[in-house]
Amino acid sequence: MTKTPDSAVRSFIDQHEDAFLADLADWLRIPSVSADPGRAGEVRRSAEWLADRLRATGFPVAEVWETDGLPAVFAEWPSGDEGAPTVLVYGHHDVQPAAREDGWDTDPFEPAVVGRRMYARGAADDKGQVLFHTLGVRAHLAATGRTAPAVNLKLLVEGEEESGSPNFAALVRREAERLAADAVFISDTGMWSETTPTVCTGMRGLADCQIDLYGPDSDIHSGSFGGAVPNPAEVAAELAAGLHDEDRKVAVPGFYDGVVELTDEERALFAELPFDEQRWLEVAKSHGTRGEAGHTTLERVWARPTAEVNGIWGGYTGPGGKTIVPAEAHLKLSFRLVAGQEVEKVREAVADWVSARVPEGIRYEIVFPGATRPCLTPLDHPALRSTVRAMERAFEQKVLFTREGGSGPAADLQDALGAPVLFLGISVPSDGWHSINEKVELDLLRKGVETSAYLWGDLAENFRP
């Protein structure tokens, strides 16, 4: 029997919450800033701290895994039950840079509890959301009388997420056999708000490029030569202006090939969210919406592919005039991708589009750096249904659905392991990820613990890969 009694779980959390929060504060004191080479030793210390904590929790395997950069942590706790699903939880233990002089009210690496909030760098992103699984699995065991989880439980906690995960994909490929799982849970995500619990069902991918355009061998006089030779700054502007059609659809032929369209059910679920467009515009520091015709704002940022001009420059930009045809101009573009789009096909389509639009007499180079694939969890997936049930037990209210417009390492896990990716997080927009005074709501952190405690039993009963 894997059913976890709610009252027993809550009683266990009551008894151990203070010790859990003390552990979290201890971990948060380690300034594991992956972007700062001078703190590489602190990132390693953070990894070793977590491995020790996981062993103390009961994980029979907890290892620090080396990469070509900073270390990750892997842990494993087999269920012992025949046919039990295998679950991998992903998070990260590195944090963004932070200093008191940035505007923090307290020392960012000396946790401060004010009311039911804990302020510290990493409190929400992502140490708090990693650590709640340690108390969650203990509550699951205590409430069910088990000596091992109802699922084969694995954790992978990265040390370079805040630096762009440069070595993560290689690590996952290298250790794919040990990481093998039937489902992957990303605990580096959030909810709609403090009063509206949600589950994310997908993240967009990303492809970007820089286009360098070269015309004359040097800047030349616009009176003597302008109008008779191609101008690279004009070509850059034409490319930027031609990126969308009159309906704000991306005008690159083949760009939408394979796109998984929103279903009527998904659109209805988005519409259930208490979305305030004016408030959203204030957060976006913008003064009006604009995007693909026929779609709402949430659909545009979560479920539709997009193209953006990230930068355009070239020619003379100093004071006064300088009447030249510039020698070169440059353009940076990025493309957010949704389920069904293939990164390589999008890159080929963009390269072909640029080639067809650059006139004779202009030389150009187009460079595509690394990319991220999109991921999407079907609404009827049994592991998603288990997640929703576990959250609804913890929050005692209906759980709604979101997606995320940004990108992350989820697709690397999905691609390498061939497993569905799900999202389980309790952070809220006010937590201030990457900002000053980052915090975690302790009542929501407790709900994360409770959700984790319920989830493993529900998966064991309802998810048979």
Side-chain angles (χ1 to χ4, degrees):
M1 180 68 175
T2 55
K3 176 74 172 180
T4 309
D6 297 16
S7 59
V9 166
R10 289 168 182 158
S11 176
F12 186 89
I13 296 172
D14 287 340
Q15 296 169 35
H16 296 87
E17 182 176 6
D18 289 346
F20 166 75
L21 293 179
D23 282 343
L24 177 57
D26 190 36
W27 195 18
L28 291 169
R29 291 187 181 98
I30 301 175
S32 49
V33 180
S34 60
D36 183 354
R39 283 181 158 164
E42 300 290 1
V43 180
R44 179 169 297 280
R45 186 159 70 97
S46 170
E48 292 168 349
W49 185 98
L50 178 58
D52 287 343
R53 183 65 251 164
L54 292 172
R55 293 185 200 105
T57 297
F59 281 84
V61 174
E63 303 169 352
V64 174
W65 277 2
E66 301 299 335
T67 74
D68 287 342
L70 298 169
V73 175
F74 172 77
E76 183 174 16
W77 197 340
S79 167
D81 292 356
E82 185 177 354
T86 299
V87 173
L88 174 68
V89 175
Y90 165 87
H92 63 90
H93 67 93
D94 65 318
V95 299
Q96 282 279 314
R100 182 70 182 267
E101 54 266 28
D102 295 338
W104 284 70
D105 294 335
T106 57
D107 184 335
F109 294 107
E110 183 51 53
V113 175
V114 180
R116 291 292 292 169
R117 293 174 172 174
M118 180 181 285
Y119 290 86
R121 175 59 87 221
D125 182 23
D126 184 36
K127 291 178 177 178
Q129 299 200 92
V130 168
L131 203 64
F132 76 59
H133 287 289
T134 62
L135 184 53
V137 72
R138 289 172 59 209
H140 163 63
L141 298 178
T144 59
R146 296 182 58 91
T147 57
V151 298
N152 301 307
L153 185 58
K154 301 179 182 182
L155 271 69
L156 178 62
V157 186
E158 185 189 0
E160 296 182 310
E161 194 274 344
E162 298 293 9
S163 298
S165 302
N167 297 292
F168 185 68
L171 174 67
V172 173
R173 288 193 298 268
R174 185 188 84 198
E175 302 291 350
E177 185 174 346
R178 294 191 68 187
L179 293 170
D182 300 308
V184 177
F185 283 85
I186 307 295
S187 277
D188 181 26
T189 186
M191 307 191 310
W192 181 265
S193 73
E194 289 87 339
T195 57
T196 306
T198 54
V199 172
C200 176
T201 60
M203 295 183 72
R204 294 193 296 186
L206 173 66
D208 62 334
C209 67
Q210 178 166 321
I211 306 167
D212 301 310
L213 301 153
Y214 304 98
D217 292 335
S218 64
D219 294 349
I220 56 176
H221 194 291
S222 65
S224 300
F225 304 104
V229 295
N231 184 319
E234 285 184 13
V235 176
E238 289 167 357
L239 288 171
L243 198 55
H244 298 89
D245 66 16
E246 61 274 11
D247 290 325
R248 299 299 298 166
K249 287 179 70 72
V250 179
V252 175
F255 181 75
Y256 290 91
D257 289 355
V259 165
V260 176
E261 301 288 344
L262 274 168
T263 65
D264 290 341
E265 180 186 9
E266 288 171 314
R267 293 186 122 184
L269 289 171
F270 286 178
E272 288 185 34
L273 292 162
F275 178 61
D276 182 334
E277 189 165 274
Q278 188 55 47
R279 173 61 185 147
W280 180 85
L281 281 170
E282 291 171 5
V283 174
K285 297 181 173 22
S286 299
H287 308 284
T289 61
R290 190 184 189 207
E292 185 182 355
H295 294 278
T296 67
T297 297
L298 288 182
E299 291 168 6
R300 290 167 180 167
V301 297
W302 285 349
R304 296 301 296 166
T306 61
E308 295 295 334
V309 178
N310 307 128
I312 181 170
W313 70 99
Y316 180 70
T317 59
K322 185 179 182 183
T323 53
I324 58 167
V325 175
E328 60 186 69
H330 310 271
L331 188 64
K332 285 185 181 287
L333 306 177
S334 65
F335 304 88
R336 296 288 175 173
L337 312 180
V338 300
Q341 287 181 293
E342 295 290 338
V343 169
E344 286 306 319
K345 290 183 178 179
V346 169
R347 286 173 164 175
E348 291 172 7
V350 172
D352 290 345
W353 176 77
V354 171
S355 176
R357 297 177 70 92
V358 173
E360 185 179 352
I362 294 287
R363 294 167 291 112
Y364 76 92
E365 296 176 357
I366 181 168
V367 176
F368 294 92
T372 303
R373 287 167 50 86
C375 59
L376 180 66
T377 309
L379 290 175
D380 60 355
H381 195 285
L384 178 61
R385 304 316 306 172
S386 288
T387 306
V388 171
R389 282 192 295 268
M391 285 194 74
E392 288 183 340
R393 287 173 67 185
F395 283 86
E396 299 182 285
Q397 66 184 95
K398 183 179 181 180
V399 169
L400 303 181
F401 295 88
T402 65
R403 293 195 197 177
E404 291 190 11
S407 304
D412 290 329
L413 289 163
Q414 178 179 262
D415 291 349
L417 306 182
V421 170
L422 303 103
F423 297 84
L424 173 58
I426 49 76
S427 186
V428 289
S430 63
D431 283 345
W433 291 25
H434 298 200
S435 186
I436 61 171
N437 298 324
E438 179 184 345
K439 54 85 176 171
V440 67
E441 299 282 341
L442 297 185
D443 290 337
L444 296 183
L445 192 60
R446 180 188 171 101
K447 296 295 186 187
V449 172
E450 202 174 332
T451 300
S452 176
Y454 301 141
L455 178 58
W456 311 135
D458 195 299
L459 283 169
E461 292 179 354
N462 297 292
F463 180 39
R464 282 289 181 265

